[in-house]
Amino acid sequence: MPGGEPKAPRRMTTSETLSIHDARKLALLSQWPPGARRAGGSALDASLAALRHLGYIQIDTISVIERAHHHTWWNRAPRYRQAHFDELLRARKIFEYWSHAAACLPMEDFRFALPRMRAYAAGRLRHWHSPDPKLKRRALRRIRAEGPLRARDFASPHEKSAAKAAAWWEHRPAKQALEQLFMEGKLMVAGRRGFHKVYDLAERVLPPRTDTSAPTPREYAEFLVRRFLRANGLGAPAEVAYLRPGAKKTAEECMARMARRGELLQVRVRDFLYYALPESLALLRERLPRKRVKILSPFDNLLIQRERMRRLFDFDYQIECYTPARKRKHGYFSLPILWGGRLVARMDCKAERRARVFVIRNFSGEPHFARAGASRREEFAAALAAEVTRFAAFHQCGRVAVEKLRDAAMRALLREALAA
């Protein structure tokens, strides 16, 4: 983590111009706050603190390696264990809902989920399906009477086979009805069995004294702005409003208003105008760790907005698991690699859990990394070998295997570093 003697404080003005180097540094140090490793408390407390700082962690179902929420959490809280997610959910310290996508969020932010819930309930927002109102009522009645249930606990009266009935309800009408009730805030996720949601009435899931007062539009807008800037260092209105229908104009007005009040700074990077919290620029006095590699999830908070990554990091990333195999350039589930303050490469991996082998299937360096000298590439290979060994252990894999990568030189360097 950052160390060394702090530099002299920066002079604060209503606007700043940052180099692209400092803009990247600010974004990275905001995502990995200095001192996180030195924080006391239990491992579970540290995991909760990481979520509270980020504001959300995206949940995804792909399991070729550890699912996205486990991976992202582990990268921010080194003592994170997969069981922490379920423990925090059962303890009602976190809840599942929608951020820009399915996510886990701190329970104290629950009231700021209410505007979206009410928009779904009123029909102003639509999910990807149109569930039957009768099935919604039936689902609510059963859960109210029987307690927490999964989608597969429902059965269709039209199906004779119990197995077929469970599958029918899991993937079609019951799942749609339950998800709609979840999006409306009538149901919440009380826990998970395997990776299946267990739904219960919201009033039975929410802890006592949870603030359920809906924020005013201004409160809600300022919450979104502050939360985004705290976790990302600097941001533009379109980034704050990402995948929030109709929110860009509101974010623009809110950020301009906060800037006029002196609560935000305007920050110009190259030819693009961002905003930042004044206190965030103090992070630029910290030292950015540059020797250690970070292997990132495709759904990591740093990466999720692709246009932002192109603008700030000159990194054009697209996940290829949804691309036909013949059209993939980097691999099914390539993981961006962060090193030296830059996104330098991507690595396609798979955890062979039964064999307890973590397999590196491909490696692709970015153009600026491909031009690096031999000693620099050797330094990187050693750092990557150390981190991928830790990452493999997180997957309960005792060995790392390197397949025949397209980059033959990196394959040799990496195998040598792993052997050492």
Side-chain angles (χ1 to χ4, degrees):
M1 294 308 298
E5 290 299 320
K7 298 177 183 177
R10 296 173 58 89
R11 180 175 59 86
M12 304 305 291
T13 63
T14 58
S15 63
E16 290 273 345
T17 298
L18 292 184
S19 68
I20 190 64
H21 170 85
D22 276 350
R24 289 169 181 161
K25 180 179 179 181
L26 179 57
L28 292 172
L29 287 177
S30 297
Q31 283 280 303
W32 281 272
R37 281 183 171 276
R38 298 191 294 269
S42 69
L44 191 65
D45 290 339
S47 296
L48 180 58
L51 174 64
R52 284 172 169 162
H53 175 79
L54 291 174
Y56 79 91
I57 291 177
Q58 184 172 339
I59 298 170
D60 195 76
T61 59
I62 297 172
S63 59
V64 64
I65 62 167
E66 273 296 354
R67 289 186 169 95
H69 50 290
H70 294 314
H71 184 175
T72 299
W73 229 323
W74 176 78
N75 254 326
R76 302 313 194 285
R79 293 181 290 161
Y80 174 82
R81 295 295 175 264
Q82 290 86 335
H84 288 182
F85 173 66
D86 290 325
E87 289 175 29
L88 290 169
L89 194 61
R90 288 195 303 269
R92 308 296 190 251
K93 300 289 187 182
I94 67 174
F95 70 105
E96 290 192 34
Y97 194 60
W98 211 257
S99 179
H100 69 279
C104 48
L105 303 104
M107 185 61 80
E108 57 267 27
D109 288 350
F110 176 79
R111 67 185 293 250
F112 294 103
L114 291 172
R116 185 185 284 267
M117 292 176 178
R118 293 182 178 184
Y120 275 104
R124 296 192 302 274
L125 286 178
R126 293 175 63 86
H127 217 30
W128 53 79
H129 47 66
S130 299
D132 185 335
K134 291 183 179 178
L135 292 181
K136 287 171 59 181
R137 290 194 293 270
R138 178 184 171 192
L140 275 176
R141 283 197 302 270
R142 280 201 59 185
I143 290 173
R144 186 174 290 114
E146 300 175 32
L149 294 172
R150 298 166 298 171
R152 62 170 54 189
D153 295 323
F154 291 78
S156 167
H158 306 294
E159 295 285 353
K160 295 180 181 179
S161 160
K164 286 183 179 179
W168 187 81
W169 274 86
E170 171 68 20
H171 296 294
R172 297 180 68 186
K175 185 68 174 175
Q176 293 176 6
L178 291 166
E179 279 296 293
Q180 181 65 27
L181 290 165
F182 167 74
M183 294 304 293
E184 293 176 9
K186 296 181 176 68
L187 296 181
M188 292 182 69
V189 176
R192 284 181 178 262
R193 295 178 196 162
F195 199 62
H196 296 282
K197 292 177 181 175
V198 180
Y199 300 90
D200 200 359
L201 301 178
E203 58 264 31
R204 295 201 296 231
V205 173
L206 287 172
R209 296 180 295 281
T210 300
D211 188 350
T212 57
S213 61
T216 66
R218 178 171 290 198
E219 279 183 300
Y220 181 58
E222 292 191 3
F223 166 79
L224 293 179
V225 167
R226 291 182 186 280
R227 188 175 69 174
F228 183 88
L229 295 180
R230 182 187 65 190
N232 292 279
L234 69 171
E239 295 169 352
V240 173
Y242 179 66
L243 294 184
R244 297 179 186 275
K248 183 180 177 183
K249 186 173 186 297
T250 301
E252 287 174 347
E253 293 170 350
C254 178
M255 295 174 93
R257 182 172 62 247
M258 293 175 71
R260 287 194 299 271
R261 296 199 306 249
E263 296 172 17
L264 298 183
L265 296 176
Q266 291 186 330
V267 179
R268 185 167 293 280
V269 180
R270 291 175 171 167
D271 293 325
F272 196 82
L273 187 65
Y274 293 96
Y275 290 88
L277 296 166
E279 59 269 25
S280 293
L281 294 192
L283 287 172
L284 293 175
R285 301 198 293 263
E286 300 284 346
R287 183 175 296 169
L288 181 68
R290 295 185 177 276
K291 293 186 177 181
R292 184 168 172 181
V293 160
K294 288 284 187 182
I295 303 167
L296 303 180
S297 165
F299 303 104
D300 191 279
N301 296 48
L302 176 70
L303 290 163
I304 200 63
Q305 296 199 39
R306 308 313 191 205
E307 181 57 36
R308 177 180 168 87
M309 286 296 97
R310 282 192 287 270
R311 188 182 299 117
L312 270 180
F313 286 88
D314 299 321
F315 186 67
D316 191 2
Y317 178 74
Q318 180 179 349
I319 189 170
E320 295 182 326
C321 55
Y322 309 113
T323 303
R326 67 184 183 280
K327 295 184 178 181
R328 292 177 194 145
K329 296 179 181 179
H330 305 290
Y332 177 81
F333 203 65
S334 62
L335 310 177
I337 307 297
L338 178 67
W339 183 59
R342 298 289 304 273
L343 289 155
V344 299
R346 55 198 91 191
M347 183 172 68
D348 187 39
C349 301
K350 184 178 182 181
E352 299 285 2
R353 292 172 174 86
R354 289 188 179 180
R356 299 186 67 246
V357 177
F358 191 84
V359 183
I360 301 174
R361 304 194 292 190
N362 193 29
F363 176 91
S364 306
E366 291 298 290
H368 64 89
F369 176 76
R371 297 190 292 269
S375 62
R376 185 77 169 150
R377 289 170 66 87
E378 288 175 10
E379 182 185 355
F380 169 78
L384 178 58
E387 187 66 5
V388 80
T389 300
R390 289 182 65 247
F391 197 41
F394 181 62
H395 289 76
Q396 290 82 50
C397 291
R399 183 168 68 89
V400 178
V402 183
E403 292 189 346
K404 190 175 181 180
L405 311 183
R406 295 174 197 166
D407 187 331
M410 181 52 64
R411 179 185 70 230
L413 286 172
L414 192 51
R415 284 178 172 171
E416 183 180 347
L418 287 165

